[in-house]
Amino acid sequence: MQERLKELQAEAIQKVDQSAGLKELNDIRVAYLGKKGPITEVLRGMGKLSAEERPVIGALANEVREAIAAKIEAKQSALEEAAVQEKLAAESIDVTLPGRPVKAGNHHPLTKIIEEIEDLFIGMGYEIAEGPEVEQDYYNFEALNLPKGHPARDMQDSFYITEEILLRTHTSPVQARTMEKHQGKGPIKIICPGKVYRRDNDDATHSHQFMQIEGLVVGENIRMSDLKGTLNVFAKKMFGEDREIRLRPSFFPFTEPSVEMDISCKMCGGHGCNVCKHTGWIEILGAGMVHPNVLEMAGYDSKKYTGFAFGMGPERIAMLKYGVDDIRHFYTNDVRFLNQFAIEE
Ligand code: DAH
C-alpha cells in the first residue's frame, strides 16, 4: 500500500508538470484528490489494516495528498502568471508610434456668413425667428399683399405642391407668421434665416434652392431713418467701415415705400470696374416700410404701428465678401472649395 501511494504521488506530479492549462490541471485535481480518487480509496480501505500499519499509512496518505495539492497550487500560480504576462504582451501599446491625424471639419462658408449676420443683429437686440419651408400660399403671398393673380407673383417662380401649398419662395412669410403670433401688439424685432426655393434654371448667379435672411421690425414710431441707420450699421460691419450705402427706389408689394440697398464697390473704390458693372455700386438687398395692408392683415392697427423689413441673400453676400464667382460652389460640396474657409474660428 505504501508503494501504491508513492506511485500515485509520482504519477500525479508528473502529470501536473506536463499539464499546459488550468482546465487540465483541474482535471488532475479531481482525478487524484477528489472523492472518487485513488487516495480517498486508500484511506477508505484502512479499516482492513492492522493497528500498527494504520497510522503509518494514514500519515503517508496525508503526506502524499498534501504534496500533490501543493504541486497543483504551485503549477496553478505559474499558469495564471503566464496567462497574465501573455495578455499584457498582447495588449501592449507602443506609445512612441505617431498618432493618426484627426481630420477636423470646418463650417461651411454660408453657415459662417449667416452666423456672422445673426450675431450682428442679435447684438442690436433682434431675435431669431423660423418658419416652415413647405408653406401655405396664404403666408407666402396673400398675407404679403400679393393676392391670387397679382402680377408681382411672376417675380417669384414657385414650386407648388397643391394649389394652396408650395415651397416658400422667400423668407418673407415668416414676417406674416410672426406678426400674426404677436396678435396686434408690438414691438417685434426679428431676423429669419432659412432656405427658399424657386423654379429657376441654375447658373453662376441662380440656384433653385438658396438662402435668405429676412428682417422685420414693428413698433410705434418706426421710421425710414431707422431702416437706413440699421442697414448702414449692417453694411459697415459686414463689408468694412469705409463702405458707403445708397438706397434706390424699388417695388415690393409688401413694403411701401420700397428700396434696394447698394454698397460702394470695394474693388474700384466707387470709380467703376467689372465687379460693379462700371457703376461704382453693388446691389445687396431689398427693403422698405411694411405696407399698411400687411400690418392690417396680421391684426395690427396701421395708424398706431409702423415697421420696416429687409431681405437679403447670404450667398450673394458671401460671394462678394470672399470673391466667389459661382453660386453653385456653395452646393456642389467640393472639399477643395470648402477647405479654403478652414481658417481658425
Ligand atoms: N422677399 C424679397 C425677395 O425675395 C426680398 C425682400 C424685399 C424682403 C424687401 C423684404 C423686403 O422684407 O422688405 O425678393
Side-chain angles (χ1 to χ4, degrees), residues 156 169-170 172 175 198 212 214-215 252 254-255 286-288 309-311:
Q156 303 188 359
T169 56
H170 50 179
S172 304
Q175 284 188 30
R198 295 213 189 153
Q212 278 194 342
E214 191 80 14
F252 300 103
F254 30 91
T255 45
F310 54 85

Side-chain angles (χ1 to χ4, degrees), residues 7 67 231 333:
E7 252 172 52
L231 295 181
N333 287 330

Side-chain angles (χ1 to χ4, degrees), residues 144 155-156 169-173 175 196 198 210 212-216 227 251-260 285-290 308-312:
L144 296 170
M155 284 157 72
Q156 303 188 359
T169 56
H170 50 179
T171 43
S172 304
Q175 284 188 30
V196 300
R198 295 213 189 153
F210 54 102
Q212 278 194 342
I213 299 181
E214 191 80 14
L216 173 71
L227 170 63
F251 171 77
F252 300 103
F254 30 91
T255 45
E256 181 58 39
S258 302
V259 293
E260 271 171 321
L285 52 76
M289 299 307 290
V290 180
F308 68 73
F310 54 85
M312 62 179 108

